[in-house]
Amino acid sequence: MLNLALLFSLSLAATTLGQQVGNYTSESHPKLTWQTCTGGGSCSSNSGGSVTIDSNWRWTHITGNYTNCYTGNTWNTSICTDGATCASKCAVEGANYASTYGISTSGNALTLKFVTKGENTNIGSRVYLMASDTKYQMFNVLNKEFTFDVDVSQLPCGLNGALYFVQMDEDGGMAKNSGNKAGAKYGTGYCDSQCPRDIKYINGEANVQGWNPSPNDTNAGQGQYGACCAEMDIWEANSISAAYTPHPCKTTNEGGLQRCTGQECNTPDRYGGLCDPDGCDFNSYRMGDRTYYGKGLTVDTSKKFTVVTQFITDNNSTTGTLIEIRRLYVQDGKVIPNSKTNFPGLLDAFDSVTPKFCDDGKKAFGDHPSFQNQGGLAQMGRSLGKGHVLVLSIWDDHTANMLWLDSSYPTDADANKPGIARGTCATDSGKPPDVESNNGNSQVIFSNIKFGDIGSTYSGTPITLPQAPLPPGYNPPTGGNPTTTTTATTTTTQGPTPTVPNTPGATQTKYGQCGGVGYSGPTQCAAGTTCTAINQFYSQCM
């Protein structure tokens, strides 16, 4: 995510060595069912799933009494004289999910409300999918697809209903850090590619040293330390714009959590730290298709739809090198292929995130090559192969008002320049005081999460997109494409990229695609494998 969610500190009630656990409110995780799918479209329910709220939102107080260790955006320095002492004296409390945070579940659906007013006012939330009461659910998405339904109809300009993966520890850091007694059960161990410094507890210690309260956020501040790790943004969106973005990091364990300080945290040089803060984003509006995503458009954000993301490796296995991240949608029974970049003469018609898309796009838009400098898609794949935690959140943006997602950004640049316009929101929109007061009833609903083999998590009738009109103000350059000399191959069906050329009599390798609607590659499988229909769109050599 390009910025962090608002933090919330309770000043009501709510217990010892290390980051402690309170005993005033019992912790009961809201249940959330999700599914695992295999070839042939057979899906099994994971009924033991649940979510936990991040520890940053929880009330933190002296163990055994009601005195706050953190109030508003400030630590109680009479108690928290240093990080280790603070963690040994202070506890994080259990959560009243619905009444305090506006978080509720029903079957396979999770609702996150933006503003919730009780004894105090809560802004936004961030939750994690659990495998058990004490461990996060871990995902290796390589050579797999991840699918979910989402309703963003009540998310206006300035808000973000996000679903993404980060390389957190399965137990929230308990095993590695003796000072952490709360663990995954209480939502500890968060990190992302922004190397956030507003995290209250990192590696089992309070982030007290050098803490500065935010000048424009009454709930947040920044400490000396940050929490860096690789991040795969499956979904950052509101009803106006959407993006999916890989963010690699060169931290320990191929992108795992590393506590940073100083320049490691990308401060003061945004691009001089451990992680890629910008990522390689695919935002349909930014890529030049202004008719694709939004209310009443091809992907109609006035009603629920399905988002499918596929992670393609070079050898069609969970241990291969990540070479492509594909996106498609399903709505009203129709399978909608991803939009294509629409700047002819400047960029090829890409419809997925590949190394070439990232290289050409960064050059064409004049973006910093931090994605490539941090190892690009291959490094992102190495991180994903280590296992990631699923994060779901709703938030507003105190740094850039979410303009990087849904408006023209930077605001002083020419909106007709390719890559600047990202959505239809005004450049003066998205200010948190305005959004919080005028759109407090906003919410996002995530539901029907599925994870499994390529082609196994969805069905529908594929459609072909019409050619989108050129973006207003864009005049194709003469003399050919300055960034590339080949035409990108696009697809409206799913499945691994064939590893054998499409020539007469060619044989497809094990696990390669061998059939399906719109497929024109090899149909004969290697010895010992059979072309097996997964669904009408995809058959695989198995």
Side-chain angles (χ1 to χ4, degrees), residues 2 240-242 281 283-287 290 367 403-410 419-425:
L2 291 181
I240 293 88
S241 295
D281 61 298
N283 172 332
S284 295
Y285 196 96
R286 189 182 189 215
M287 297 306 143
R290 311 295 167 81
D367 292 346
L403 301 177
W404 54 267
L405 174 67
D406 58 24
S407 185
S408 294
Y409 190 80
I420 298 300
R422 300 137 188 268
T424 59
C425 297

Side-chain angles (χ1 to χ4, degrees), residues 220-388:
Q222 289 190 337
Q224 173 177 311
Y225 299 108
C228 302
C229 70
E231 173 183 356
M232 177 64 229
D233 292 327
I234 301 287
W235 185 250
E236 292 197 274
N238 50 34
S239 60
I240 293 88
S241 295
Y244 73 103
T245 312
H247 296 264
C249 293
K250 290 184 178 178
T251 62
T252 57
N253 193 29
E254 301 288 9
L257 169 61
Q258 181 174 336
R259 189 172 76 167
C260 67
T261 186
Q263 186 54 65
E264 290 178 331
C265 305
N266 291 340
T267 302
D269 178 4
R270 175 174 174 82
Y271 303 110
L274 296 171
C275 291
D276 166 30
D278 292 355
C280 175
D281 61 298
F282 197 112
N283 172 332
S284 295
Y285 196 96
R286 189 182 189 215
M287 297 306 143
D289 191 337
R290 311 295 167 81
T291 64
Y292 184 75
Y293 180 93
K295 292 188 175 182
L297 301 182
T298 302
V299 178
D300 185 356
T301 61
S302 67
K303 53 187 176 180
K304 182 172 70 174
F305 51 88
T306 300
V307 183
V308 182
T309 310
Q310 301 170 332
F311 297 84
I312 311 303
T313 59
D314 62 343
N315 64 357
N316 305 314
S317 79
T318 57
T319 59
T321 299
L322 182 64
I323 59 172
E324 183 179 13
I325 306 175
R326 298 179 184 170
R327 166 58 49 83
L328 57 90
Y329 300 88
V330 183
Q331 190 172 45
D332 297 331
K334 299 176 181 178
V335 179
I336 306 170
N338 196 24
S339 64
K340 300 177 182 179
T341 49
N342 190 31
F343 294 107
L346 181 65
L347 281 172
D348 293 336
F350 296 103
D351 62 356
S352 63
V353 173
T354 64
K356 184 170 176 55
F357 163 79
C358 297
D359 290 345
D360 291 357
K362 293 285 186 181
K363 293 175 184 177
F365 294 167
D367 292 346
H368 192 282
S370 59
F371 179 77
Q372 291 87 342
N373 293 345
Q374 291 292 351
L377 211 56
Q379 178 69 8
M380 187 74 244
R382 287 189 283 269
S383 169
L384 290 169
K386 297 291 184 180
H388 276 224

Side-chain angles (χ1 to χ4, degrees), residues 409-460:
Y409 190 80
T411 57
D412 59 353
D414 181 0
N416 289 328
K417 178 185 175 183
I420 298 300
R422 300 137 188 268
T424 59
C425 297
T427 55
D428 62 353
S429 67
K431 298 173 183 177
D434 296 339
V435 178
E436 292 164 18
S437 61
N438 299 327
N439 303 111
N441 291 329
S442 298
Q443 65 178 32
V444 62
I445 303 174
F446 296 107
S447 60
N448 200 27
I449 294 172
K450 295 181 180 181
F451 171 71
D453 295 337
I454 300 289
S456 69
T457 66
Y458 69 97
S459 62

Side-chain angles (χ1 to χ4, degrees), residues 95-116:
N96 291 315
Y97 282 81
S99 60
T100 300
Y101 301 106
I103 299 168
S104 62
T105 59
S106 177
N108 66 17
L110 168 69
T111 299
L112 303 178
K113 295 186 178 296
F114 178 46
V115 176
T116 303

Side-chain angles (χ1 to χ4, degrees), residues 38-68:
T38 57
S42 175
C43 297
S44 59
S45 177
N46 298 283
S47 57
S50 64
V51 295
T52 188
I53 190 169
D54 187 284
S55 62
N56 246 25
W57 269 257
R58 296 174 183 270
W59 176 32
T60 181
H61 58 88
I62 293 180
T63 302
N65 73 46
Y66 296 97
T67 302
N68 287 346

Side-chain angles (χ1 to χ4, degrees), residues 61-212:
H61 58 88
I62 293 180
T63 302
N65 73 46
Y66 296 97
T67 302
N68 287 346
C69 292
Y70 183 97
T71 302
N73 58 11
T74 304
W75 288 98
N76 185 337
T77 55
S78 66
I79 303 164
C80 294
T81 54
D82 60 72
T85 300
C86 185
S88 69
K89 293 182 177 180
C90 298
V92 290
E93 194 54 59
N96 291 315
Y97 282 81
S99 60
T100 300
Y101 301 106
I103 299 168
S104 62
T105 59
S106 177
N108 66 17
L110 168 69
T111 299
L112 303 178
K113 295 186 178 296
F114 178 46
V115 176
T116 303
K117 294 185 177 181
E119 291 188 55
N120 296 270
T121 299
N122 177 70
I123 309 295
S125 60
R126 183 168 64 219
V127 302
Y128 310 112
L129 184 65
M130 304 291 288
S132 68
D133 198 42
T134 58
K135 290 186 177 181
Y136 298 128
Q137 179 66 50
M138 304 302 292
F139 291 90
N140 175 2
V141 297
L142 296 180
N143 196 43
K144 301 289 185 180
E145 68 185 23
F146 186 90
T147 297
F148 62 96
D149 293 350
V150 66
D151 184 342
V152 295
S153 62
Q154 297 184 57
L155 287 181
C157 296
L159 285 180
N160 190 334
L163 181 152
Y164 57 107
F165 288 112
V166 290
Q167 197 179 331
M168 295 166 62
D169 291 334
E170 183 180 28
D171 66 353
M174 285 188 72
K176 294 179 179 177
N177 305 290
S178 60
N180 183 348
K181 308 300 181 182
K185 181 175 182 178
Y186 291 86
T188 67
Y190 181 74
C191 53
D192 67 34
S193 64
Q194 303 304 308
C195 298
R197 293 164 54 208
D198 64 348
I199 307 301
K200 294 176 187 174
Y201 293 92
I202 304 174
N203 290 354
E205 294 186 0
N207 196 13
V208 174
Q209 188 171 346
W211 185 268
N212 290 307

